[in-house]
């Protein structure tokens, strides 16, 4: 059992919180509107969950999930996230985030941007290319034929090992894309994005990605 902070209580953040609580973890979840607006979600999650501010949720977590719009990452609590694994679920939606030249020109990735924002944290891509509704319904025990696979990306081998265990707990195989600069291969509009795929199929889709 670990203490997990979740910054962002949208569809992905809420689904991940439900899964973690069911696994016995202690979860602190936050949103941009304040803890008092999460009372219904926390009541549903039960005694292993609480609503806090983003800063306090970051401090609470031994590791933290950041699942907020890309345009909001400059407001993240840098000091409270220092020294921790930070799971990045983000994708770039210019319709929501506004146009970001470096991303439009394919010069960086969303996860690299988050790592630069959190220089003392270890960013690892996770849960960014699966519909939120599938997170709690599409998992299967290890070794199940046709088990769904999810991709990850990090500059840290330890972080990849860490997220591999998290994925397995949720019922998914893991495929490592490589460093954060390669994480574009599993972002929006790429072949591996939000489709159900086995590990072999995911590797094929990653190889087909074009930038």
């Amino acid at each position: 059992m670990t203490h997990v902070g979740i910054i962002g209580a949208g569809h992905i953040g809420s689904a991940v919180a439900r899964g973690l609580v069911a696994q016995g973890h202690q979860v602190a979840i936050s949103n941009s509107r304040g803890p008092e607006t999460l009372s219904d979600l926390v009541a549903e999650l039960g005694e292993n969950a609480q609503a806090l501010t983003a800063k306090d949720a970051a401090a609470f977590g031994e590791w933290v999930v950041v699942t907020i719009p890309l345009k909001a990452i400059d407001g993240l609590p840098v000091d409270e996230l220092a020294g921790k694994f930070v799971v990045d679920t983000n994708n770039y939606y210019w319709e929501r985030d506004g146009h970001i030249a470096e991303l439009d020109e394919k010069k960086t990735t969303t996860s690299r941007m988050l790592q630069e924002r959190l220089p003392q944290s270890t960013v690892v891509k996770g849960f960014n290319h699966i519909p939120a509704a599938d997170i709690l319904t599409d998992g299967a025990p290890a070794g199940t034929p046709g088990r769904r696979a999810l991709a990850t990306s990090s500059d840290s081998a330890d972080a990849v090992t860490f997220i591999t265990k998290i994925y397995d707990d949720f019922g998914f195989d893991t495929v490592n894309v490589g460093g954060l600069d390669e994480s574009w291969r599993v972002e929006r509009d790429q072949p591996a994005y939000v489709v159900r795929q086995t590990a072999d199929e995911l590797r094929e889709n990653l190889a087909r990605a074009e930038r």
Side-chain angles (χ1 to χ4, degrees):
M1 182 184 72
T2 59
H3 287 193
V4 186
I6 301 180
I7 300 177
H11 295 304
I12 293 177
S14 297
V16 171
R18 290 184 180 98
L20 292 172
V21 166
Q23 295 164 23
H25 299 284
Q26 296 280 334
V27 169
I29 192 165
S30 68
N31 66 8
S32 60
R33 295 178 296 147
E36 67 279 0
T37 66
L38 294 171
S39 56
D40 289 346
L41 176 61
V42 169
E44 174 197 336
L45 292 172
E47 61 182 14
N48 282 348
Q50 59 182 311
L52 298 175
T53 65
K55 183 175 182 178
D56 288 342
F60 174 88
E62 297 169 51
W63 57 278
V64 179
V65 180
V66 169
T67 180
I68 59 176
L70 183 63
K71 63 183 179 181
I73 64 171
D74 285 346
L76 287 169
V78 176
D79 291 343
E80 286 75 14
L81 293 170
K84 299 178 181 181
F85 289 138
V86 174
V87 178
D88 171 34
T89 77
N90 218 329
N91 295 290
Y92 172 44
Y93 293 96
W94 60 263
E95 305 91 334
R96 174 196 66 189
D97 301 313
H99 280 286
I100 299 171
E102 283 191 308
L103 291 173
D104 290 339
E105 296 167 9
K106 316 298 185 185
K107 293 180 178 178
T108 190
T109 65
T110 59
S111 292
R112 175 61 65 197
M113 290 177 65
L114 183 61
Q115 183 65 81
E116 290 173 351
R117 169 63 185 163
L118 305 173
Q120 299 178 73
S121 305
T122 302
V123 172
V124 57
K125 200 77 175 179
F127 296 106
N128 79 297
H129 69 114
I130 179 173
D134 292 356
I135 291 174
L136 300 179
T137 61
D138 230 22
T144 300
R147 193 189 200 205
R148 187 169 183 167
L150 297 179
T152 191
S153 179
S154 181
D155 294 340
S156 164
D158 288 342
V160 171
T161 299
F162 160 78
I163 198 68
T164 297
K165 174 63 166 61
I166 301 301
Y167 276 171
D168 189 54
D169 289 344
F170 275 82
F172 303 104
D173 287 337
T174 301
V175 173
N176 182 12
V177 177
L180 295 178
D181 293 333
E182 292 297 310
S183 61
W184 62 269
R185 293 181 179 277
V186 74
E187 290 184 343
R188 178 187 180 185
D189 297 329
Q190 295 295 346
Y193 189 65
V194 296
V195 296
R196 194 191 191 288
Q197 54 210 317
T198 65
D200 286 342
E201 291 167 341
L202 176 51
R203 292 185 187 97
E204 291 173 2
N205 283 333
L206 292 169
R208 291 171 50 221
E210 295 183 0
R211 201 172 192 186

